[in-house]
């Protein structure tokens, strides 16, 4: 259907998941074309559809956008989730870079050798509970508002919820020392568009399993 | 005696009020992740001051003072904020100084282009950390990526719309970051632009912009490529073995 953004990626979370979250939060319907084999990727490349030969790629508004951050920033601005002025943008950018760094460590966990798994899980827990979550807990505490920036719902809130849920999949009680983040999680999860995305049958992708990891390694030479 | 003290403190006061307007960069005395920020400020004609991290104690003081949001540098004091996260800092400076295009679509292009040059520069940023064997492999990768993945894109952009700049016919963050990337790669592979005539012209043109020309002269705040002492300092400050 013309008009809907079209996402090109593997059938799994990876770097595309934050884009799915943001579109869903904004209430924007989207389509997906899954890359399942090396040939699928090669075809996208040889058709000249991937600016730097990489995915994620999102067809939107006549563009073939690549680079996750560029895509997310465009969506945030387009759907009014990027704050109301330059200073709010600056805060949002800082906060999402933090959650990106945290989710980045978690994203690579399944691709590490099994021996390193326990060590990396400990690293994730440590970074989440000493570097990242204290920051967002303090932000919420300091202004006492429902959202991270500007007393309204922004990209920073969507990204933080995604990071929280991902971290909880690693360690279910990871929020135990962060009461405001627990409340935040409850609140944001109840926003209708997000609630819908969290239900079974949505386009949200499950955590990577053995099969997905093998397929990604094959297709992308990871 | 009191008169001298009075003079000293008033000139200090003048100095600190002049400084109050200038962004202040906290980082090592070297390129690393802060160099792109120096480039962008310089291109915009913005004077800035720097505090160089040399000891573990300085870093710990910044941490204790709560000056580093995620306990990391780069950090830039600007407009009453202590900004961290390189991309956030660059985005703010670009928007503030009219280097981020004039609408959402131009921003999208600029964002895509700077992410590309960022990926290329990241290969070089870590190069000095590798062993000699790894460095040889990395050099080949840098060469391959520059000539097969990144520079062809920017050559084509310039070719397709035939203007002086990458986006929208005026200098933007995308041009500044591209020139930084070109010069960085040339330091490793001096002939890297041999197959890219439009990028060669671009390089000449952009290097002649007065603010950039000034930044490229000796004595500017541009930093040299990393050497042994840079690595030693960073390891000491971050308690790395």
């Amino acid at each position: 259907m013309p008009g809907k953004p079209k996402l090109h990626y593997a059938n799994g979370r990876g770097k595309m998941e934050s884009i799915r979250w943001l579109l869903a939060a904004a209430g924007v319907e989207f389509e997906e074309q899954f890359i399942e084999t090396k040939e699928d990727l090669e075809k996208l490349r040889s058709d000249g559809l991937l600016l730097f030969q990489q995915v994620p790629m999102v067809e939107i508004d006549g563009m073939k956008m690549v680079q996750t951050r560029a895509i997310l920033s465009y969506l945030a601005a387009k759907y009014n989730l990027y704050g109301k002025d330059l200073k709010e943008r600056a805060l949002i950018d800082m906060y999402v870079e933090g959650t990106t760094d945290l989710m980045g460590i978690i994203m690579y966990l399944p691709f590490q050798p099994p021996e390193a798994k326990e060590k990396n899980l400990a690293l994730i827990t440590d970074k989440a509970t000493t570097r990242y979550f204290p920051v967002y807990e303090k932000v919420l505490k300091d202004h006492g508002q429902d959202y991270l920036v500007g007393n309204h719902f922004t990209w920073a809130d969507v990204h933080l919820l995604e990071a929280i849920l991902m971290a909880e999949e690693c360690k279910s009680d990871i929020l135990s020392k962060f009461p405001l983040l627990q409340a935040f999680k409850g609140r944001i999860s109840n926003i209708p568009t997000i609630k819908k995305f969290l239900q079974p049958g949505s386009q949200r992708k499950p955590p990577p399993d053995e099969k997905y990891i093998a397929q990604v390694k094959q297709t992308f030479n990871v | 005696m009191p008169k001298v003290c009075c003079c000293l403190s008033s000139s200090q006061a003048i100095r600190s009020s002049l400084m109050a307007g200038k962004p202040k960069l906290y980082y090592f005395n070297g390129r690393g992740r802060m160099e792109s920020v120096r480039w962008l400020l310089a291109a915009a004609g913005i004077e800035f001051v720097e505090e160089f991290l040399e000891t573990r104690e300085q870093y710990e003081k910044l941490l204790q003072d709560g000056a580093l949001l995620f306990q990391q540098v780069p950090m830039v004091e600007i407009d009453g904020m202590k900004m961290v996260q390189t991309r956030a800092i660059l985005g703010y400076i670009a928007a503030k100084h009219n280097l981020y295009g004039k609408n959402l679509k131009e921003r999208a292009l600029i964002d895509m282009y700077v992410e590309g040059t960022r990926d290329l520069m990241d290969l070089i940023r870590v190069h000095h950390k590798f062993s000699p064997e790894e460095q040889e492999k990395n050099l080949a990768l840098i060469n391959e990526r520059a000539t097969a993945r990144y520079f062809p894109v920017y050559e084509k952009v310039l070719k397709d719309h035939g203007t002086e700049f990458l986006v929208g016919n005026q200098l933007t963050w995308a041009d500044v970051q591209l020139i930084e990337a070109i010069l960085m790669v040339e330091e490793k592979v001096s002939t890297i632009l041999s197959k890219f005539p439009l990028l060669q012209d671009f390089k000449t043109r952009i290097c002649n912009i007065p603010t950039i020309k000034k930044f490229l002269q000796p004595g500017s705040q541009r930093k040299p490529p990393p050497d042994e002492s840079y690595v030693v300092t960073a390891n000491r400050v971050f308690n790395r073995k």
Side-chain angles (χ1 to χ4, degrees):
Chain A
M1 215 166 291
K4 286 191 191 179
K6 187 172 185 183
L7 280 48
H8 295 261
Y9 202 68
N11 187 0
R13 287 184 180 175
K15 289 180 188 256
M16 188 62 97
E17 193 71 353
S18 295
I19 293 168
R20 298 182 184 106
W21 268 91
L22 191 54
L23 284 166
V28 177
E29 287 185 29
F30 57 92
E31 295 177 349
E32 304 195 70
Q33 184 166 304
F34 297 123
I35 299 167
E36 267 145 7
T37 64
K38 262 200 172 86
E39 289 68 41
D40 290 341
L41 181 62
E42 271 319 304
K43 179 157 203 314
L44 285 173
R45 285 174 168 164
S46 57
D47 287 349
L49 301 181
L50 305 179
L51 189 66
F52 300 116
Q53 318 306 325
Q54 299 163 314
V55 287
M57 188 270 276
V58 175
E59 293 179 88
I60 182 166
D61 297 339
M63 298 182 284
K64 291 171 172 47
M65 284 200 76
V66 296
Q67 296 289 353
T68 313
R69 268 178 196 80
I71 296 165
L72 288 167
S73 291
Y74 180 77
L75 294 174
K78 183 178 180 186
Y79 296 112
N80 267 319
L81 293 168
Y82 220 160
K84 65 180 194 302
D85 58 26
L86 197 49
K87 286 239 171 150
E88 286 194 2
R89 269 193 98 114
L91 289 173
I92 292 166
D93 278 343
M94 282 194 274
Y95 297 160
V96 304
E97 288 295 303
T99 38
T100 298
D101 284 348
L102 177 58
M103 287 198 277
I105 318 172
I106 302 176
M107 200 194 306
Y108 281 110
L109 190 60
F111 295 91
Q112 308 287 3
E115 318 83 67
K117 187 166 181 189
E118 210 175 302
K119 210 179 111 189
N120 284 317
L121 216 45
L123 181 69
I124 288 166
T125 305
D126 178 67
K127 284 282 193 285
T129 56
T130 65
R131 177 169 288 188
Y132 295 106
F133 289 162
V135 169
Y136 304 105
E137 181 83 2
K138 182 177 193 296
V139 167
L140 292 171
K141 182 171 187 198
D142 285 352
H143 60 45
Q145 292 163 0
D146 283 356
Y147 306 104
L148 286 172
V149 177
N151 209 9
H152 53 158
F153 183 55
T154 69
W155 171 24
D157 302 302
V158 182
H159 216 243
L160 176 57
L161 178 62
E162 184 190 359
I164 284 171
L165 296 181
M166 239 181 151
E168 280 183 333
E169 281 169 356
C170 293
K171 188 170 191 295
S172 58
D173 62 350
I174 205 158
L175 282 194
S176 58
K177 295 190 168 67
F178 305 103
L180 297 181
L181 288 181
Q182 291 172 36
F184 173 88
K185 173 190 161 189
R187 249 185 346 262
I188 306 301
S189 301
N190 267 311
I191 290 172
T193 48
I194 295 190
K195 189 169 187 169
K196 190 171 167 196
F197 188 61
L198 290 171
Q199 275 157 5
S202 82
Q203 283 158 300
R204 186 185 182 208
K205 300 294 173 278
D209 60 13
E210 283 303 318
K211 184 168 159 225
Y212 173 74
I213 293 165
Q215 188 186 81
V216 165
K217 284 183 175 175
Q218 247 277 15
T219 309
F220 295 97
N221 269 348
V222 168
Chain B
M1 248 45 85
K3 205 171 166 189
V4 171
C5 292
C6 204
C7 285
L8 278 175
S9 66
S10 76
S11 73
Q12 264 178 343
I14 290 167
R15 215 172 349 116
S16 58
S17 77
L18 283 174
M19 298 263 175
K22 290 189 193 183
K24 186 170 180 182
L25 280 49
Y26 292 78
Y27 200 68
F28 305 101
N29 187 0
R31 286 184 182 176
R33 292 174 188 269
M34 189 62 100
E35 192 70 353
S36 296
V37 177
R38 298 181 185 108
W39 266 94
L40 193 55
L41 286 168
I46 304 300
E47 287 183 30
F48 57 92
V49 296
E50 304 195 71
E51 183 160 314
F52 297 125
L53 289 188
E54 266 138 18
T55 66
R56 175 93 194 144
E57 289 67 40
Q58 275 173 291
Y59 174 59
E60 282 179 355
K61 179 163 199 313
L62 285 172
L63 289 177
Q64 273 149 35
D65 291 347
L68 305 179
L69 188 67
F70 299 116
Q71 301 153 15
Q72 298 164 314
V73 286
M75 188 273 275
V76 175
E77 287 177 329
I78 183 168
D79 298 338
M81 299 181 284
K82 289 178 171 42
M83 284 201 76
V84 296
Q85 294 288 354
T86 315
R87 271 180 195 82
I89 296 165
L90 290 167
Y92 181 77
I93 295 168
K96 186 181 177 191
H97 297 289
N98 257 321
L99 293 166
Y100 219 158
K102 58 185 191 304
N103 57 39
L104 196 50
K105 286 241 170 148
E106 287 193 356
R107 272 191 95 111
L109 288 173
I110 291 166
D111 279 342
M112 284 192 273
Y113 297 159
V114 301
E115 289 294 303
T117 41
R118 168 64 43 208
D119 284 348
L120 177 57
M121 288 197 282
D122 276 352
L123 293 176
I124 301 173
R125 184 171 52 78
V126 296
H127 185 77
H128 65 282
K129 301 185 191 189
F130 294 145
S131 71
E133 304 80 53
E134 287 171 331
Q135 282 195 357
E136 210 181 304
K137 260 177 70 180
N138 197 44
L139 210 51
L141 182 64
I142 290 165
N143 199 346
E144 196 265 333
R145 287 279 189 263
T147 55
R149 179 172 288 193
Y150 294 107
F151 289 163
V153 170
Y154 304 107
E155 181 84 3
K156 183 176 193 295
V157 167
L158 292 172
K159 182 172 188 199
D160 284 352
H161 59 50
T163 62
E164 291 186 26
F165 306 102
L166 286 174
V167 178
N169 215 6
Q170 64 186 51
L171 183 74
T172 68
W173 172 21
D175 303 300
V176 181
Q177 203 156 282
L178 178 56
I179 191 66
E180 182 191 359
I182 286 172
L183 295 180
M184 235 181 160
V185 180
E186 277 186 334
E187 281 170 351
K188 296 266 175 279
V189 184
S190 61
T191 56
I192 201 88
L193 286 193
S194 57
K195 295 197 170 64
F196 304 104
L198 296 181
L199 287 181
Q200 291 173 34
D201 290 344
F202 174 87
K203 175 188 161 191
T204 308
R205 246 187 348 262
I206 302 300
C207 289
N208 268 310
I209 291 173
T211 49
I212 294 184
K213 191 170 187 168
K214 190 172 170 197
F215 188 62
L216 289 171
Q217 276 158 4
S220 83
Q221 283 158 301
R222 186 183 182 211
K223 301 294 174 280
D227 62 10
E228 259 312 300
S229 77
Y230 176 78
V231 180
V232 167
T233 305
N235 287 344
R236 181 175 64 235
V237 169
F238 288 135
N239 260 354
R240 286 190 211 130
K241 304 290 166 259

